[in-house]
Amino acid sequence: MLPRPAHGPRTRRASRILLALAAMAALLSVDLPDAAAVPPLGVTAEAGSDPTANRVGALFAGSLDGGHFCTAAVVRSDDRNVIATAAHCLDNPDTTVFAPGYRDGKAPYGVWKLTGVSIAPGWTDGKDPDEDVAFATVAPADGGTARIEDAVGGGFPVAGEQPDDVTVTILGYPSDDEAPLRCANTTSLFSETQRRIDCPDLSGGTSGSPWLADGALAGVLGGYEGGGTVPEVSYSAVMDDQAVELYREAAVSAG
């Protein structure tokens, strides 16, 4: 079979479509999606500011001046005030604050204090890595009455029962970076209770990062070895029935 010409009729037709779309975008003053801005699977890059990234933020010790040490994400709840993270990130909830959409020293959606935590007994009693997931309720640190889902435009649904090889997107804040990183890849089962993923540069501070499958929370970076001892391989406890029930309790009881 002869090879198809590199610039045949299909290519010319596609070019005309792209030119038409570009012209329409210019008239409407909107930006077309940049395919190059989305890294390939297994590649880590700085996350842009978009509705997904705005629902993910950094956990700080006391205030923005205290340095960020973990990552968390806003999830859906009845009272629109629940976040998800790793259980090992909530050793000191009374002095922990959350800044969704944090970037370059600024908290565009405010700073939020933790008002309650939901952690499985298996973690509280024995630091069971299979229970390294937690949920917390939050309120404005300045004493206001705003709800965090209203501030960031919603929260992620929580979904268990994911296939072994589900593709997830991770967003997290390394402790020495002032912007979140994003990486997507297909997971595999490390054990019956732990997932693993190959994504470089997810170093300390990314614990608690959401693992998003089709926009739903399918896990958080944590579990085995606190999420991993090397930045190239990360882990998450499987979001099993107990974890989903823990979320439901937090979501329903949030007030």
Side-chain angles (χ1 to χ4, degrees):
M1 180 182 296
L2 293 175
R4 180 178 294 161
H7 298 283
R10 293 187 181 182
T11 302
R12 290 196 296 271
R13 186 161 55 249
S15 298
R16 288 196 296 270
I17 292 172
L18 288 174
L19 288 172
L21 287 173
M24 184 180 296
L27 289 173
L28 297 176
S29 297
V30 299
D31 295 326
L32 289 174
D34 182 3
V38 180
L41 293 181
V43 175
T44 301
E46 182 174 318
S49 181
D50 59 31
T52 298
N54 295 343
R55 298 176 185 180
V56 180
L59 293 176
F60 290 80
S63 69
L64 298 190
D65 296 330
H68 56 90
F69 61 89
C70 270
T71 302
V74 181
V75 293
R76 291 181 184 172
S77 66
D78 287 355
D79 286 292
R80 310 184 306 285
N81 62 348
V82 175
I83 63 174
T85 187
H88 76 260
C89 292
L90 298 183
D91 288 342
N92 300 290
D94 293 340
T95 58
T96 297
V97 296
F98 175 59
Y102 175 79
R103 193 177 295 265
D104 298 326
K106 299 179 180 179
Y109 305 103
V111 177
W112 303 74
K113 64 182 180 180
L114 275 57
T115 58
V117 298
S118 296
I119 299 175
W123 179 264
T124 303
D125 298 337
K127 306 297 183 186
D128 183 350
D130 294 337
E131 306 295 346
D132 194 7
V133 59
F135 300 90
T137 53
V138 297
D142 62 6
T145 59
R147 300 291 175 166
I148 196 165
E149 282 192 58
D150 297 334
V152 302
F156 300 117
V158 175
E161 301 297 328
Q162 295 292 329
D164 299 348
D165 58 351
V166 64
T167 298
V168 303
T169 298
I170 299 176
L171 293 98
Y173 288 80
S175 56
D176 56 356
D177 285 346
E178 291 295 281
L181 300 179
R182 180 193 301 263
C183 179
N185 212 345
T186 302
T187 66
S188 61
L189 278 186
F190 174 71
S191 69
E192 291 185 357
T193 55
Q194 298 282 329
R195 297 184 188 278
R196 65 162 278 166
I197 191 170
D198 295 330
C199 272
D201 301 321
L202 298 183
S203 54
T206 58
S207 289
S209 298
W211 292 30
L212 303 173
D214 292 326
L217 187 80
V220 298
L221 201 156
Y224 177 68
E225 295 183 332
T229 57
V230 296
E232 292 79 21
V233 179
S234 299
Y235 300 91
S236 167
V238 170
M239 190 71 72
D240 58 13
D241 292 342
Q242 182 171 337
V244 172
E245 183 58 31
L246 186 72
Y247 155 69
R248 288 174 178 161
E249 291 174 1
V252 171
S253 64

